[in-house]
Amino acid sequence: PVEIMARVFELGYEETINFARPFKRQFETGTTFEVLVSHVCTRWRTIAFGVHVLWTNLRFQKPCHIERATEYVKRSHHAALDIYVDSVAQEDYRPGINIGVAEFDRAFQAAMDNIHRWRSLVVRVCDVPCKERARANLRSCENLHSLELQQLWHVQDWEGAQDMFIATSKPPIPILNDYAPKLLYLSLV
């Protein structure tokens, strides 16, 4: 029966997701669980598309993930979304391979269209230009009624202490429009 298959898919998905760290898959393979079960046969595909929780984990690490996120959002219907944006420093940027400052706004916009559904948001930047884009995007966030977890990471290889001081000594700016009523976990690293 469809209900049993749907429940099996949910349980299989839960096995691959560590809900304490929703973007750290238990088993990292080339294909995610949700994609794998939806490619077995037409019947499984139909059932998988009806299990909305399978499509709630939006990971932006490559430019192709931006288009994939659009499909995931459609399939997730009204379920809460977990958003992960992972960009690289300019010197590590490879067009078409990873997310750099050039794709940062497009990746963020794919998630911003459903901001009212965000359950968690993790943003990892590796240079100041991406950090500035993250700040600009987060500054305008409104309607964050569902956000429970937020992690903002700035991981950069500084040339020296002076460079780090110059880049990070700016005054803080408000993010999330000062409104996230369900926020339980906040990490600023």
Side-chain angles (χ1 to χ4, degrees):
V2 172
E3 297 81 14
I4 292 174
M5 286 298 294
R7 184 65 183 137
V8 168
F9 289 173
E10 287 176 11
L11 292 171
Y13 178 75
E14 288 172 9
E15 277 297 308
T16 67
I17 298 291
N18 175 351
F19 287 99
R21 297 175 67 197
F23 303 102
K24 178 77 173 155
R25 296 278 181 141
Q26 302 283 29
F27 311 103
E28 286 289 340
T29 62
T31 306
T32 60
F33 178 82
E34 60 274 14
V35 172
L36 185 66
V37 298
S38 69
H39 283 78
V40 171
C41 65
T42 306
R43 178 171 161 72
W44 281 32
R45 184 176 184 82
T46 303
I47 294 169
F49 283 4
V51 181
H52 304 151
V53 71
L54 296 181
W55 312 102
T56 58
N57 196 291
L58 308 182
R59 296 169 63 132
F60 299 95
Q61 293 174 292
K62 301 176 182 178
C64 65
H65 293 170
I66 298 169
E67 289 75 31
R68 180 182 71 182
T70 303
E71 286 304 312
Y72 273 42
V73 166
K74 289 178 194 172
R75 294 175 190 171
S76 67
H77 290 266
H78 299 290
L81 299 172
D82 298 306
I83 314 295
Y84 177 62
V85 181
D86 185 8
S87 64
V88 297
Q90 290 175 339
E91 60 270 11
D92 297 324
Y93 175 68
R94 304 289 176 269
I97 303 297
N98 46 31
I99 300 281
V101 73
E103 296 89 6
F104 197 89
D105 287 341
R106 272 192 333 123
F108 225 89
Q109 191 56 49
M112 293 279 283
D113 291 340
N114 290 279
I115 195 169
H116 62 284
R117 295 172 49 200
W118 290 6
R119 174 179 40 216
S120 64
L121 172 67
V122 177
V123 179
R124 182 178 176 270
V125 298
C126 295
D127 64 7
V128 174
C130 282
K131 179 181 180 178
E132 289 171 354
R133 296 311 318 137
R135 284 180 162 196
N137 282 291
L138 289 171
R139 193 176 300 128
S140 63
C141 288
E142 294 180 10
N143 199 14
L144 289 162
H145 303 291
S146 302
L147 188 66
E148 297 174 9
L149 176 142
Q150 180 181 16
Q151 295 180 359
L152 302 176
W153 294 77
H154 183 181
V155 182
Q156 185 165 346
D157 185 14
W158 301 100
E159 302 263 331
Q162 183 67 22
D163 293 334
M164 184 175 110
F165 176 77
I166 291 168
T168 60
S169 64
K170 298 175 183 170
I173 61 159
I175 58 171
L176 304 181
N177 214 12
D178 294 331
Y179 184 74
K182 289 188 178 181
L183 189 64
L184 300 173
Y185 306 101
L186 176 65
S187 295
L188 304 172
V189 182

